[in-house]
Amino acid sequence: MCTHRPTCPTADSPDREAAHTIAAHPEQGWILLCNSAVIFDDTGELLPDGQVVAPHRLCATA
């Protein structure tokens, strides 16, 4: 799948968000990474196996 050197992290790796972007649609709020993970603006994720990762954006504190 990934032809980058070094190879991008797989979709099941903890650092999956470090993979290269292959399609971006900021107007729709998502990007597709070369490991087939979809990352949403709210930091939620959809993995290639259908698993959903809940948003994990850090909240600012006063």
Side-chain angles (χ1 to χ4, degrees), residues 14-56:
D15 60 344
R16 66 181 146 260
E17 295 176 17
H20 287 249
T21 299
I22 58 170
H25 291 276
E27 72 282 359
Q28 296 176 356
W30 61 270
I31 61 170
L32 174 64
L33 302 178
C34 72
N35 59 10
S36 300
V38 178
I39 310 295
F40 297 96
D41 281 351
D42 68 355
T43 68
E45 303 173 15
L46 180 61
L47 303 183
D49 64 359
Q51 180 182 353
V52 174
V53 177
H56 50 277

